[in-house]
Amino acid sequence: CALPIWASRYLSSYGAYCYAAGNGDISVYFDVTGNGIQNYLGVSSIIIRESADCGSTWATAATFSYVNYSNMMTQNAPYMNSYETYWQGTPGYHYYAIIYFWGGSSLSVGDSRTYVTGTITAT
C-alpha cells in the first residue's frame, strides 16, 4: 500500500514571497496548510537577507521569531497566512527571506520545513 507524498507528516503545503512596499520596506507574506488541524501551525522564524552589491555578498538584516510576533503562529487550525514587514530596508538594495515553517502537536513535536523566497529590490 503506497502512502501519499506530503510535504511532511504535519505539513501539506507552504509558500512565501517578498514584496517591495516602498520607502525601503520589505514585506514577507506566507501561507501554510497542515495535514488536518494542527495544534501549532505557522512560521517559527523569518530571516531577512540583504545585499548592497547586487547579490555578491549577503548579510542578515533582520530576524523575526514567533516568540515576539504572535501573528506568525496559530493554534488548532488547518491553515494559516500572514505577513511580517521589515521597516528598515534601503531602496536599491536586494532582499530575500528564509522562512522556517512549523506544524505539530506541540512546539517541540512536529515538522519544520525551510523555504527561500526569490530576490527583490527595495523601492
Side-chain angles (χ1 to χ4, degrees):
C1 172
L3 295 175
I5 298 173
W6 291 331
S8 77
R9 180 178 172 194
Y10 297 92
L11 300 174
S12 176
S13 65
Y14 49 88
Y17 66 92
C18 288
Y19 175 76
N23 297 319
D25 299 346
I26 304 298
S27 290
V28 179
Y29 293 86
F30 59 86
D31 64 73
V32 56
T33 302
N35 283 323
I37 293 174
Q38 298 300 312
N39 291 347
Y40 291 88
L41 185 67
V43 170
S44 59
S45 64
I46 298 172
I47 299 171
I48 307 289
R49 301 282 287 165
E50 171 184 76
S51 175
D53 58 8
C54 295
S56 294
T57 58
W58 292 92
T60 297
T63 300
F64 297 92
S65 170
Y66 79 93
V67 174
N68 300 316
Y69 298 90
S70 61
N71 63 320
M72 291 174 57
M73 188 76 65
T74 192
Q75 291 181 282
N76 302 314
Y79 174 81
M80 182 195 185
N81 66 345
S82 190
Y83 71 94
E84 289 296 342
T85 300
Y86 174 56
W87 303 101
Q88 300 171 337
T90 303
Y93 280 30
H94 300 280
Y95 294 88
Y96 72 91
I98 304 167
I99 296 99
Y100 296 93
F101 288 96
W102 179 261
S105 57
S106 72
L107 292 172
S108 59
V109 176
D111 286 327
S112 178
R113 291 294 184 264
T114 305
Y115 187 91
V116 179
T117 69
T119 301
I120 60 151
T121 303
T123 57

